[in-house]
Amino acid sequence: MTDLRRFYLIGFFVLVCFDTFAQVCFKLTANHAMPPEADLAWALRVFSSPWVYAAIVCYIGAFLTWMTLLEHAPIGPAFAASHLEVISVMALSVVLFNEHIGTPQWIGSALIIAGIVCLAISETDGDKPAA
Amino acid sequence: MSATVVTLWLLNILLDTFGQLSFKAAAAGPGLGTGLARWKAMAAQPWIWCGVACYVGEFMVWLAFLSLVPLSEGVLLGSINIVAVMIAGRFLFNENFSPLRTLGILLIASGVAVVGLA
């Protein structure tokens, strides 16, 4: 394996990890601050949770990793890596939160993942990225 | 999905799309220069602060949304943001849609529909 390939693989892996843990931290924050209400008390409960700060750190980490990767990596695979956390988040939802993945979720996630792969390939082919 | 969940989901789409487009507008302005000067020029633009405000709002909306739906479902429903930003980019910045990109958008939208309507 060349150094560049190793750089991409590690970079994408780090990006997916940051994105995944950010979502897990979001869910832990949400659970901590129950019930959700449009008032100051809820906002205070949110920011009294350590998980909200972990989520912010993961967001910043993901942003910095993304910017570093984009300097070198082709946009297509970078795009796919930044959105395929859907898979890892679903897996962790089952393990950490005992969530049940039903048939609609399986079908829906297969369609969404296929769509993300299509977009990633189309970006590699020279379309300008949307954002 | 309850009315509250749908409202939060729509708000999340609006804030995410508007935020991303604001950042794009701030970054794509002419004559921004390079390096530190570029960041300073961008910080002087209202668009960048509009984007930041949207993201702060989205942060709280997403937390409220995840309080009401399982994480696995939330992350699937949130995928619609990819589609919304691409469609908005097409109309506002004339970004092109290849057949493959159209297919990708349709696949994601139908996947979200399957999860959301179940």
Side-chain angles (χ1 to χ4, degrees), chain A residues 23 27 99 127-128 130-131, chain B residues 20 62 66 69 71-72 101:
Chain A
Q23 294 304 329
K27 184 64 181 177
E99 290 183 8
D127 277 3
K128 280 201 281 181
Chain B
Q20 293 223 29
W62 184 246
L66 282 188
V69 300
L71 179 59
S72 52
R101 182 177 268 199

Side-chain angles (χ1 to χ4, degrees), chain B:
Chain B
M1 291 201 288
S2 73
T4 315
V5 171
V6 173
T7 308
L8 288 169
W9 180 70
L10 290 172
L11 258 179
N12 179 260
I13 298 172
L14 272 177
L15 288 170
D16 188 69
T17 307
F18 201 67
Q20 293 223 29
L21 294 173
S22 301
F23 282 128
K24 171 91 181 174
L32 286 174
T34 53
L36 189 63
R38 180 182 159 80
W39 285 101
K40 277 186 181 166
M42 282 200 294
Q45 298 201 35
W47 280 122
I48 202 129
W49 300 107
C50 185
V52 170
C54 284
Y55 272 35
V56 172
E58 187 187 351
F59 189 87
M60 299 309 283
V61 167
W62 184 246
L63 272 174
F65 181 71
L66 282 188
S67 308
L68 300 172
V69 300
L71 179 59
S72 52
E73 223 174 292
V75 80
L76 289 175
L77 295 171
S79 303
I80 200 70
N81 286 352
I82 307 172
V83 173
V85 172
M86 284 200 169
I87 291 175
R90 171 167 170 82
F91 286 111
L92 292 174
F93 297 104
N94 290 316
E95 288 171 352
N96 59 337
F97 270 20
S98 63
L100 192 58
R101 182 177 268 199
T102 310
L103 176 66
I105 284 173
L106 289 175
L107 282 169
I108 294 176
S110 48
V112 171
V114 168
V115 175
L117 298 174

Side-chain angles (χ1 to χ4, degrees), chain A residues 20-32:
Chain A
T20 305
F21 288 120
Q23 294 304 329
V24 169
C25 292
F26 265 118
K27 184 64 181 177
L28 288 167
T29 306
N31 287 347
H32 174 96

